[in-house]
Amino acid sequence: MQEKTMDIPAFDVAHVRQEFPILERKVNGQPLVYFDNAATVQKPQSVIDALVHYYSHYNANIHRGVHSLAQEATQAYEDARKTIQQHINAEHAHEIIFTMGTTDAINLVMQSWGRSELHQGDTVLISALEHHSNMVPWHLLKQEKGIHIEVIPIHEDGSLNMEAYAELLQNGVKLVCVNHVSNALGSINPIKKMVQLAHEAGAKTMIDGAQALPHAKVDVRDLNADFYAFSGHKVYGPTGIGILYGKEALLNQMPPWRGGGEMIASVTYQSSTYNTLPHKFEAGTPNIAGGIVLGSAIDFVNTLGVENIERHEAQLLNYLVEKAAHIDGLKVYGTAKEKAGVFSFLVDGTHPYDVGTLLDQMGVAVRTGHHCAEPLMNHFGIPGTIRASFACYNTFEEVDVFVHSLERALKMLR
Amino acid sequence: MESLAERKAEILDEFMMFDDWMQKYEHIIELGKELPLIDEQYKTEEHLIKGCQSRVWLHANEGDAGLVHFTADSDAIITKGLIALMIRYMGDLPAKDVAQADMGFIQEIGLQDHLSPTRSNGLVSMVKQMKLYGMALAAKQSS
Ligand SMILES: Cc1ncc(COP(=O)(O)O)c(C=O)c1O
């Protein structure tokens, strides 16, 4: 999320689109306009090929075989870990834990760190913007242990209230859970500052980066986050794979959560000793293909350049905001100064569900509903919004189609 | 009184008139505006149908000549249109007919392919609820 636009060469979206075979599809007879990227993004050919290549050429179980295929697969899996380490600038590759996704990563932290470090009466701060995945795991711990959950409020524009945050930190907080970018509103939260304040107050931080990785350069060491989670499928990779980054010292202190093969050093019938990082947290045969292909997805992002993607999406968003301003009765939710890739809105006199249905008939895919942030929707007193969200392959022409289709839908509905 | 089969044929004919799905949706929206509205007093949790992204309230009572009479509402107009369509098909019929109504015509109109999974789940729960009313009333009437 750094301002660095001067020295980047022009970004050729027509060329980028050729990498995504699904974009040739028609939906309901119309060319697909895919604006549901915050839910999951489409995959480039290089990622699809990497998946096929793994299963066609070197599928084998990793870490335990002596044969060549096992060595190749292990090498590729561990190389992917390094690619991800470098991408988010973690200090060590073993600070990168493969999980099933963001949700799984946060649950790992809850089950391992949370259950051993949090006790009755301890406070966990969550932001009002959280996705259910950074909320519900802490509800489970609240039920089990009687921890307190407090909420960092937001301003009307969808940015976090930092004064309230600083104040809440005064009451002996143990953990701060906040997303880097809100999936429902697109607000970019000042994570570096928030981590710093949390640390000054003696709290650890669980950052949900699911919506940040696809749109911005993330540097976990610069942020100084204790835990940072993201999902592969939102960053051009496959589903079923994600990452938990944790600081080495913390991960070392934490007990394993799942038991099984791979995560042990030695086992007798009565007890076991545990393997070192990262294997301690990766019991059983992992999603080998997913891990390797996530590495390819990160390569794809780096080939395009995160800054290029960020700038292109910001231009699309500005263009849409400008065009949508002319639509009567349209109200945007989330107008924070710092925003990434998300346009969340409602139109007077219409239900989001109806609008979404008609847009779909015209080939435009958007998300409607509460976006797994029900408390946030309740805060605004609305059942949900319509959300258009961007990826690197979206175009200004698609924004035009979207606005035109939206106007047509509204004419039918109002 | 028309039979279920006659009603179904009529609805199918009507939908055949439109060549594209935007027109069909336009028609559904028009139907929504004619939905026999539920009395405000019944817009309660108890009359809310689960499984819809939009909220749907449905009420049934024994109307004229012992027929099942439905009224409903929704906050989404397309949903209202779909309910109106179901009520046109199943409403004001003897309870045992309502209980036996089949949903096949949704498929025949081709609606199934044009509804999101949540919407079609919502529709299924709605029809289930309507048939349950039919069954309950049929049981009451025969006892
Ligand atoms: C901000 C945010 N956090 C967490 C998640 C959950 O990610 P996943 O379902 O991949 O675990 C999402 C995805 O919808 C998200 O947008």
Side-chain angles (χ1 to χ4, degrees), chain A residues 272-332:
Chain A
S272 7
T273 57
Y274 308 122
N275 205 337
T276 51
L277 289 176
H279 312 292
K280 181 169 87 172
F281 292 111
E282 295 178 359
T285 299
N287 182 351
I288 302 167
I292 292 171
V293 178
L294 178 53
S296 308
I298 298 294
D299 287 341
F300 169 79
V301 167
N302 285 325
T303 305
L304 289 189
V306 186
E307 293 87 354
N308 284 327
I309 297 175
E310 187 179 0
R311 188 183 48 173
H312 176 66
E313 291 171 351
Q315 287 168 350
L316 290 173
L317 183 60
N318 288 340
Y319 183 60
L320 175 51
V321 167
E322 221 169 83
K323 291 206 84 172
H326 303 295
I327 297 177
D328 199 31
L330 185 145
K331 177 168 171 17
V332 180

Coordinates of all heavy atoms in Angstrom, one line a residue, chain A residues 272-332:
Chain A
S272 N 4.5 -38.8 22.3 CA 5.3 -38.4 21.2 C 6.1 -37.1 21.5 O 5.7 -36.4 22.3 CB 4.5 -38.2 19.9 OG 3.1 -38.3 20.2
T273 N 7.1 -36.9 20.7 CA 7.8 -35.6 20.8 C 7.5 -35.0 19.4 O 7.3 -35.7 18.4 CB 9.3 -35.7 21.0 OG1 9.9 -36.6 20.0 CG2 9.6 -36.2 22.4
Y274 N 7.6 -33.7 19.4 CA 7.1 -33.0 18.2 C 8.2 -32.5 17.3 O 9.3 -32.2 17.8 CB 6.1 -31.9 18.6 CG 5.1 -32.3 19.5 CD1 4.9 -31.8 20.7 CD2 4.3 -33.4 19.1 CE1 3.9 -32.3 21.6 CE2 3.3 -33.9 19.9 CZ 3.1 -33.4 21.2 OH 2.2 -33.8 22.0
N275 N 7.9 -32.5 16.0 CA 8.8 -32.0 15.0 C 9.0 -30.5 15.2 O 8.3 -29.8 15.9 CB 8.2 -32.3 13.7 CG 9.2 -32.4 12.6 OD1 10.3 -31.9 12.7 ND2 8.9 -33.1 11.5
T276 N 10.0 -30.0 14.5 CA 10.2 -28.5 14.5 C 9.3 -27.8 13.6 O 8.6 -28.4 12.8 CB 11.7 -28.3 14.1 OG1 11.9 -29.0 12.9 CG2 12.7 -28.8 15.2
L277 N 9.4 -26.5 13.6 CA 8.7 -25.7 12.7 C 9.2 -25.9 11.2 O 10.3 -26.2 11.1 CB 8.9 -24.2 13.0 CG 8.3 -23.7 14.3 CD1 8.7 -22.2 14.5 CD2 6.7 -23.8 14.2
P278 N 8.3 -25.8 10.3 CA 6.9 -25.6 10.3 C 6.1 -26.8 10.5 O 4.9 -26.8 10.6 CB 6.6 -25.0 8.9 CG 7.6 -25.7 8.0 CD 8.9 -25.9 8.9
H279 N 6.8 -28.0 10.5 CA 6.1 -29.3 10.4 C 5.2 -29.5 11.6 O 4.2 -30.3 11.6 CB 7.1 -30.4 10.2 CG 8.0 -30.1 9.1 ND1 7.6 -30.1 7.8 CD2 9.3 -29.8 9.1 CE1 8.7 -29.7 7.0 NE2 9.7 -29.6 7.8
K280 N 5.6 -29.0 12.8 CA 4.8 -29.1 14.0 C 3.3 -28.8 13.8 O 2.4 -29.4 14.4 CB 5.4 -28.2 15.1 CG 4.8 -28.3 16.4 CD 5.6 -27.5 17.5 CE 5.2 -26.0 17.5 NZ 5.8 -25.3 18.7
F281 N 3.1 -27.9 12.9 CA 1.7 -27.4 12.6 C 1.1 -28.0 11.4 O 0.1 -27.5 10.9 CB 1.6 -25.9 12.6 CG 1.9 -25.3 14.0 CD1 3.0 -24.6 14.2 CD2 1.0 -25.5 15.0 CE1 3.3 -24.0 15.5 CE2 1.2 -24.9 16.3 CZ 2.4 -24.2 16.5
E282 N 1.8 -28.9 10.8 CA 1.3 -29.5 9.5 C 1.1 -31.0 9.6 O 1.8 -31.8 8.9 CB 2.2 -29.1 8.3 CG 2.2 -27.6 8.1 CD 3.2 -27.1 7.0 OE1 3.9 -28.0 6.4 OE2 3.2 -25.9 6.7
A283 N 0.2 -31.4 10.4 CA 0.0 -32.9 10.6 C -0.6 -33.5 9.4 O -1.5 -32.9 8.7 CB -0.9 -33.1 11.8
G284 N -0.2 -34.7 9.1 CA -0.8 -35.4 8.0 C -0.3 -35.0 6.6 O 0.5 -34.1 6.5
T285 N -0.7 -35.7 5.6 CA -0.3 -35.3 4.2 C -1.0 -34.0 3.9 O -2.2 -33.9 4.0 CB -0.8 -36.4 3.2 OG1 -0.1 -37.6 3.5 CG2 -0.4 -36.0 1.8
P286 N -0.2 -33.0 3.6 CA -0.8 -31.7 3.4 C -1.4 -31.6 2.0 O -1.3 -32.5 1.2 CB 0.4 -30.7 3.5 CG 1.5 -31.5 3.1 CD 1.2 -33.0 3.5
N287 N -1.9 -30.4 1.7 CA -2.4 -30.1 0.3 C -1.2 -29.8 -0.5 O -0.8 -28.6 -0.7 CB -3.4 -28.9 0.4 CG -3.9 -28.6 -1.0 OD1 -3.5 -29.1 -2.0 ND2 -4.9 -27.7 -1.0
I288 N -0.5 -30.8 -1.0 CA 0.8 -30.6 -1.7 C 0.6 -29.8 -3.0 O 1.3 -28.8 -3.2 CB 1.4 -32.0 -2.0 CG1 1.6 -32.8 -0.7 CG2 2.7 -31.8 -2.8 CD1 1.9 -34.3 -1.0
A289 N -0.3 -30.2 -3.8 CA -0.6 -29.5 -5.0 C -0.9 -28.1 -4.7 O -0.4 -27.2 -5.4 CB -1.7 -30.2 -5.8
G290 N -1.8 -27.9 -3.7 CA -2.2 -26.5 -3.4 C -1.0 -25.6 -3.0 O -0.9 -24.5 -3.5
G291 N -0.1 -26.2 -2.2 CA 1.0 -25.4 -1.7 C 1.9 -25.0 -2.9 O 2.3 -23.9 -3.1
I292 N 2.2 -26.0 -3.7 CA 3.1 -25.8 -4.9 C 2.5 -24.7 -5.8 O 3.1 -23.8 -6.3 CB 3.3 -27.1 -5.7 CG1 4.2 -28.0 -4.8 CG2 4.0 -26.8 -7.0 CD1 4.3 -29.4 -5.3
V293 N 1.2 -24.9 -6.1 CA 0.5 -24.0 -7.0 C 0.3 -22.6 -6.4 O 0.3 -21.6 -7.2 CB -0.8 -24.6 -7.5 CG1 -1.5 -23.7 -8.5 CG2 -0.5 -26.0 -8.2
L294 N 0.2 -22.5 -5.1 CA 0.1 -21.2 -4.5 C 1.5 -20.4 -4.8 O 1.5 -19.2 -5.1 CB -0.1 -21.3 -3.0 CG -0.1 -20.0 -2.2 CD1 -1.1 -19.0 -2.9 CD2 -0.5 -20.2 -0.8
G295 N 2.5 -21.2 -4.8 CA 3.8 -20.6 -5.2 C 3.8 -20.0 -6.6 O 4.2 -18.9 -6.9
S296 N 3.2 -20.8 -7.5 CA 3.0 -20.3 -8.9 C 2.1 -19.1 -9.0 O 2.4 -18.2 -9.8 CB 2.4 -21.4 -9.8 OG 3.1 -22.6 -9.6
A297 N 1.1 -19.0 -8.1 CA 0.2 -17.9 -8.1 C 0.9 -16.6 -7.7 O 0.8 -15.5 -8.2 CB -1.0 -18.2 -7.2
I298 N 1.8 -16.8 -6.7 CA 2.6 -15.7 -6.2 C 3.6 -15.2 -7.3 O 3.8 -14.0 -7.5 CB 3.3 -16.0 -4.9 CG1 2.3 -16.4 -3.7 CG2 4.3 -14.9 -4.4 CD1 1.5 -15.3 -3.3
D299 N 4.1 -16.2 -8.0 CA 5.0 -15.8 -9.1 C 4.2 -15.0 -10.1 O 4.8 -14.0 -10.7 CB 5.5 -17.1 -9.8 CG 6.6 -17.8 -9.0 OD1 7.2 -17.1 -8.1 OD2 6.8 -19.0 -9.2
F300 N 3.0 -15.4 -10.4 CA 2.2 -14.7 -11.4 C 2.0 -13.2 -10.9 O 2.2 -12.3 -11.7 CB 0.8 -15.4 -11.5 CG -0.2 -14.5 -12.3 CD1 -0.2 -14.5 -13.7 CD2 -1.2 -13.8 -11.6 CE1 -1.1 -13.7 -14.4 CE2 -2.1 -13.0 -12.3 CZ -2.0 -13.0 -13.7
V301 N 1.6 -13.1 -9.6 CA 1.4 -11.7 -9.1 C 2.7 -10.9 -9.2 O 2.7 -9.7 -9.6 CB 1.0 -11.8 -7.6 CG1 1.1 -10.5 -6.9 CG2 -0.4 -12.4 -7.5
N302 N 3.8 -11.5 -8.9 CA 5.1 -10.8 -9.0 C 5.5 -10.4 -10.4 O 6.2 -9.4 -10.7 CB 6.2 -11.5 -8.3 CG 6.0 -11.4 -6.8 OD1 5.6 -10.3 -6.3 ND2 6.3 -12.5 -6.0
T303 N 5.1 -11.3 -11.4 CA 5.4 -11.0 -12.8 C 4.6 -9.8 -13.2 O 5.1 -8.9 -13.9 CB 5.0 -12.2 -13.7 OG1 5.7 -13.4 -13.2 CG2 5.4 -12.0 -15.1
L304 N 3.4 -9.7 -12.8 CA 2.6 -8.5 -13.1 C 3.1 -7.3 -12.3 O 3.1 -6.1 -12.8 CB 1.1 -8.7 -12.8 CG 0.3 -9.6 -13.7 CD1 -1.2 -9.5 -13.3 CD2 0.5 -9.3 -15.1
G305 N 3.5 -7.5 -11.1 CA 3.9 -6.5 -10.2 C 2.7 -6.0 -9.3 O 1.7 -5.5 -9.9
V306 N 2.9 -6.2 -8.0 CA 1.8 -5.9 -7.1 C 1.4 -4.4 -7.3 O 0.2 -4.0 -7.2 CB 2.2 -6.2 -5.7 CG1 1.0 -6.0 -4.7 CG2 2.7 -7.6 -5.5
E307 N 2.4 -3.6 -7.5 CA 2.1 -2.1 -7.6 C 1.3 -1.8 -8.8 O 0.4 -1.0 -8.7 CB 3.4 -1.3 -7.6 CG 4.3 -1.3 -6.4 CD 5.2 -2.5 -6.3 OE1 5.1 -3.4 -7.2 OE2 6.0 -2.6 -5.4
N308 N 1.5 -2.6 -9.9 CA 0.7 -2.4 -11.1 C -0.7 -2.8 -10.8 O -1.6 -2.1 -11.3 CB 1.3 -3.2 -12.2 CG 2.5 -2.7 -12.8 OD1 2.7 -1.4 -12.9 ND2 3.5 -3.5 -13.2
I309 N -0.9 -3.9 -10.2 CA -2.2 -4.4 -9.9 C -3.0 -3.4 -9.0 O -4.1 -3.0 -9.3 CB -2.2 -5.8 -9.2 CG1 -1.5 -6.8 -10.1 CG2 -3.6 -6.2 -8.7 CD1 -1.3 -8.2 -9.4
E310 N -2.3 -2.9 -8.0 CA -2.8 -2.0 -7.0 C -3.3 -0.7 -7.7 O -4.4 -0.2 -7.5 CB -1.8 -1.7 -6.0 CG -2.2 -0.8 -4.8 CD -1.1 -0.6 -3.8 OE1 0.0 -1.1 -4.1 OE2 -1.4 0.1 -2.8
R311 N -2.4 -0.2 -8.6 CA -2.7 1.0 -9.3 C -3.9 0.9 -10.3 O -4.8 1.7 -10.4 CB -1.5 1.5 -10.1 CG -1.7 2.9 -10.6 CD -0.4 3.4 -11.4 NE 0.0 2.3 -12.3 CZ 0.9 2.4 -13.2 NH1 1.6 3.6 -13.3 NH2 1.2 1.5 -14.1
H312 N -3.9 -0.2 -11.0 CA -4.9 -0.5 -12.0 C -6.3 -0.6 -11.3 O -7.3 0.0 -11.7 CB -4.6 -1.8 -12.7 CG -5.7 -2.2 -13.7 ND1 -6.0 -1.5 -14.8 CD2 -6.5 -3.3 -13.7 CE1 -7.0 -2.1 -15.5 NE2 -7.3 -3.2 -14.8
E313 N -6.3 -1.3 -10.2 CA -7.6 -1.5 -9.5 C -8.1 -0.2 -8.9 O -9.3 0.1 -8.8 CB -7.4 -2.5 -8.4 CG -7.3 -3.9 -8.9 CD -6.9 -5.0 -7.9 OE1 -6.6 -4.6 -6.8 OE2 -6.9 -6.2 -8.2
A314 N -7.1 0.6 -8.4 CA -7.5 1.9 -7.8 C -8.1 2.8 -8.9 O -9.1 3.5 -8.7 CB -6.3 2.6 -7.2
Q315 N -7.6 2.7 -10.1 CA -8.1 3.5 -11.3 C -9.5 3.0 -11.6 O -10.4 3.8 -11.8 CB -7.2 3.4 -12.5 CG -5.9 4.2 -12.3 CD -4.9 3.9 -13.4 OE1 -5.1 2.9 -14.2 NE2 -3.9 4.7 -13.5
L316 N -9.7 1.7 -11.6 CA -11.1 1.2 -11.9 C -12.0 1.7 -10.8 O -13.2 2.1 -11.1 CB -11.0 -0.4 -11.9 CG -10.3 -1.1 -13.0 CD1 -10.2 -2.6 -12.7 CD2 -11.0 -0.8 -14.3
L317 N -11.6 1.6 -9.6 CA -12.5 2.0 -8.5 C -12.9 3.5 -8.6 O -14.0 3.9 -8.5 CB -11.8 1.7 -7.1 CG -12.7 2.0 -5.9 CD1 -13.9 1.2 -5.9 CD2 -11.9 1.8 -4.6
N318 N -11.9 4.3 -8.9 CA -12.2 5.8 -9.1 C -13.1 6.0 -10.2 O -14.1 6.8 -10.1 CB -10.9 6.5 -9.4 CG -10.0 6.7 -8.1 OD1 -10.5 6.5 -7.0 ND2 -8.7 6.9 -8.3
Y319 N -12.9 5.3 -11.3 CA -13.8 5.4 -12.4 C -15.2 5.0 -12.1 O -16.2 5.7 -12.4 CB -13.2 4.5 -13.6 CG -14.0 4.6 -14.9 CD1 -14.1 5.8 -15.5 CD2 -14.6 3.5 -15.4 CE1 -14.8 5.9 -16.8 CE2 -15.3 3.6 -16.6 CZ -15.4 4.8 -17.3 OH -16.0 4.9 -18.5
L320 N -15.4 3.9 -11.4 CA -16.7 3.5 -11.0 C -17.4 4.4 -10.0 O -18.5 4.8 -10.2 CB -16.6 2.0 -10.3 CG -17.9 1.5 -9.8 CD1 -19.0 1.5 -10.8 CD2 -17.7 0.0 -9.4
V321 N -16.6 4.9 -9.0 CA -17.2 5.9 -8.1 C -17.7 7.1 -8.8 O -18.8 7.6 -8.5 CB -16.1 6.3 -7.1 CG1 -16.5 7.5 -6.2 CG2 -15.7 5.1 -6.1
E322 N -16.9 7.6 -9.8 CA -17.3 8.7 -10.6 C -18.6 8.5 -11.4 O -19.5 9.3 -11.3 CB -16.2 9.0 -11.6 CG -15.9 10.5 -11.8 CD -14.6 10.5 -12.6 OE1 -14.7 10.4 -13.8 OE2 -13.5 10.6 -11.9
K323 N -18.7 7.3 -12.0 CA -19.8 7.0 -12.9 C -21.1 6.8 -12.0 O -22.2 7.1 -12.3 CB -19.6 5.8 -13.7 CG -18.5 6.0 -14.8 CD -18.7 5.1 -16.0 CE -19.8 5.7 -16.9 NZ -19.9 4.9 -18.2
A324 N -20.9 6.1 -10.9 CA -22.0 5.7 -10.0 C -22.6 6.9 -9.3 O -23.7 6.9 -8.9 CB -21.6 4.7 -9.0
A325 N -21.8 8.0 -9.2 CA -22.3 9.2 -8.6 C -23.5 9.7 -9.3 O -24.3 10.5 -8.7 CB -21.2 10.3 -8.5
H326 N -23.7 9.4 -10.6 CA -24.8 9.9 -11.3 C -26.1 9.1 -11.1 O -27.1 9.4 -11.7 CB -24.5 10.0 -12.8 CG -23.2 10.8 -13.1 ND1 -23.2 12.1 -12.9 CD2 -22.0 10.4 -13.5 CE1 -22.0 12.6 -13.2 NE2 -21.3 11.6 -13.6
I327 N -26.0 8.0 -10.4 CA -27.1 7.1 -10.3 C -28.0 7.6 -9.1 O -27.5 7.6 -7.9 CB -26.7 5.6 -10.1 CG1 -26.0 5.2 -11.4 CG2 -28.0 4.8 -9.8 CD1 -25.5 3.8 -11.4
D328 N -29.2 7.9 -9.4 CA -30.1 8.4 -8.4 C -30.3 7.4 -7.2 O -30.6 6.2 -7.5 CB -31.5 8.7 -9.1 CG -32.3 9.6 -8.3 OD1 -31.7 10.5 -7.6 OD2 -33.5 9.5 -8.4
G329 N -30.2 7.9 -6.0 CA -30.5 7.0 -4.8 C -29.4 6.0 -4.5 O -29.7 5.1 -3.6
L330 N -28.3 6.1 -5.1 CA -27.2 5.1 -4.8 C -26.4 5.6 -3.6 O -25.9 6.7 -3.6 CB -26.3 4.8 -6.0 CG -25.3 3.8 -5.9 CD1 -25.1 3.1 -7.3 CD2 -23.9 4.3 -5.4
K331 N -26.3 4.7 -2.6 CA -25.5 5.1 -1.5 C -24.3 4.1 -1.3 O -24.5 2.9 -1.3 CB -26.4 5.0 -0.2 CG -25.6 5.3 1.1 CD -26.6 5.5 2.2 CE -26.0 5.6 3.6 NZ -24.7 5.9 3.9
V332 N -23.1 4.6 -1.2 CA -21.9 3.8 -1.1 C -21.7 3.5 0.4 O -21.7 4.5 1.2 CB -20.7 4.5 -1.7 CG1 -19.5 3.6 -1.6 CG2 -21.0 4.8 -3.2

